[in-house]
Amino acid sequence: MTGDDILEGLAVVMAHPDDEVLWAGSVLKAAEKVIVVYGEWPGADIISAGRRAAMAEFPLPTLDWVQIRETGVFDSASWPEVRETEYGLYPHRALAILDNFNPDQYRAQFETQREALRPRLAGIRNVIAHGPWGEYGHEEHVQLFRVVASLAAEMGFRLWVPAYFAPKSEALMRRNLKYCGRPTRPFPIDQDFAQGIAQLYKRTKCWTWFDSYVWPETERFLPWYANGAPAGEAARPEEIARIRLPAEFEANPRPWEGRKRRMKRLALSWWNGRKAG
């Protein structure tokens, strides 16, 4: 599969400002629409203001910024073995780390996002959205995937997901690969273009990824099959690119996590993994 038809009538739909260049930077220029969903981060005024400034200067006229408020559920699922739900992942109050943690809003926003995206995706043939494991493992990424997947079933566009994972999300990735087809050909990433957008986010103080991040030369995308990939065509774990993380983060992926929280997370992870089979 080359996947060149992915570029026909393409929309890129990503959760947060900077996700679009991190996980679909190779195809941004070719997309008819670049849709970014989240805007305000409650309690993080500098990031919220920076996003408004960055979106106003974004270098592509195809940008459509929805500006939904963030829900604060990051890292509240029981990684690595999480509980999947119709609306995304189950956010555990015992694992909340952000002051704006709002699981009720997270649940309700599944339908809010569906209503916001439905008219924006009318007439679109292909959509690249977050994957069902949220690339490196982000609850809002997973929810947006489920939103777009539900609209694909309703509207008939082709859904593709980025072929990236991290250690945190590996178990969820392996659980969901049976729904993903073989990856496209590698699409080259314009390094100057990607770095230019990253510098815009950094200058406006709303870059949320690692400052030292270096993009791979290419990236690939996986077709999503709601009922499972055709026999013999499912993606393989070795075809999913491991995200390049700084060595210090690899050694300590949760610097905010103390022993008590870690024990809670691992206990919940064990229980949810057991129920998932």
Side-chain angles (χ1 to χ4, degrees):
M1 175 182 291
T2 66
D4 285 343
D5 57 341
I6 194 176
L7 303 178
E8 298 175 7
L10 173 65
V12 173
V13 183
M14 293 284 152
H16 312 94
D18 73 12
D19 286 330
E20 78 293 330
V21 72
L22 285 167
W23 317 122
S26 64
V27 297
L28 291 182
K29 292 179 183 179
E32 290 186 9
K33 293 184 178 181
V34 177
I35 302 172
V36 178
V37 170
Y38 283 101
E40 180 187 359
W41 182 333
D45 295 342
I46 291 176
I47 291 179
S48 297
R51 285 175 172 174
R52 291 192 292 271
M55 294 292 90
E57 295 183 43
F58 198 77
L60 296 176
T62 48
L63 176 69
D64 184 352
W65 189 28
V66 184
Q67 301 189 60
I68 289 176
R69 297 177 72 201
E70 289 202 29
T71 62
V73 298
F74 173 69
D75 207 42
S76 63
S78 57
W79 303 95
E81 293 290 351
V82 296
R83 175 178 163 190
E84 296 183 81
T85 68
E86 291 184 358
Y87 57 81
L89 300 178
Y90 186 81
H92 294 276
R93 291 185 181 275
L95 299 179
I97 62 169
L98 298 178
D99 292 338
N100 62 313
F101 175 74
N102 192 333
D104 295 331
Q105 179 193 350
Y106 178 69
R107 295 183 188 97
Q109 267 184 196
F110 178 85
E111 193 57 39
T112 300
Q113 291 183 22
R114 275 175 48 85
E115 294 303 313
L117 292 176
R118 185 181 287 110
R120 289 175 161 89
L121 296 177
I124 291 294
R125 295 182 58 185
N126 291 284
V127 175
I128 294 173
H130 292 289
W133 53 91
E135 291 72 62
Y136 58 90
H138 195 306
E139 290 77 357
E140 288 175 337
H141 292 191
V142 175
Q143 180 175 73
L144 184 55
F145 160 77
R146 291 190 177 271
V147 167
V148 177
S150 73
L151 290 174
E154 174 186 318
M155 302 175 69
F157 55 75
R158 193 81 175 89
L159 176 57
W160 307 77
V161 302
Y164 288 104
F165 84 101
K168 176 183 176 182
S169 63
E170 183 173 0
L172 186 57
M173 178 268 286
R174 289 178 179 272
R175 194 190 298 176
N176 280 276
L177 270 191
K178 61 186 177 183
Y179 299 105
C180 298
R182 301 297 298 279
T184 63
R185 68 168 174 85
F187 286 91
I189 297 174
D190 183 331
Q191 301 291 325
D192 291 339
F193 177 69
Q195 287 289 353
I197 294 179
Q199 288 303 318
L200 170 61
Y201 287 128
K202 292 174 183 178
R203 176 167 53 81
T204 54
K205 297 182 171 57
C206 62
W207 177 248
T208 60
W209 197 236
F210 301 101
D211 284 344
S212 60
Y213 183 67
V214 177
W215 277 260
E217 293 183 2
T218 63
E219 62 189 2
R220 300 196 289 180
F221 303 93
L222 310 169
W224 171 259
Y225 296 93
N227 297 316
E233 294 184 25
R236 302 165 184 165
E238 61 269 21
E239 293 174 322
I240 316 303
R242 178 168 168 154
I243 298 168
R244 299 174 180 176
L245 300 172
E248 60 273 19
F249 188 81
E250 292 272 16
N252 184 23
R254 288 183 175 83
W256 56 81
E257 183 171 72
R259 182 177 180 276
K260 185 176 180 180
R261 183 184 189 274
R262 180 175 181 273
M263 295 304 293
K264 288 180 181 179
R265 178 176 57 80
L266 292 178
L268 289 167
S269 180
W270 175 84
W271 180 247
N272 287 332
R274 186 181 182 195
K275 289 194 294 185

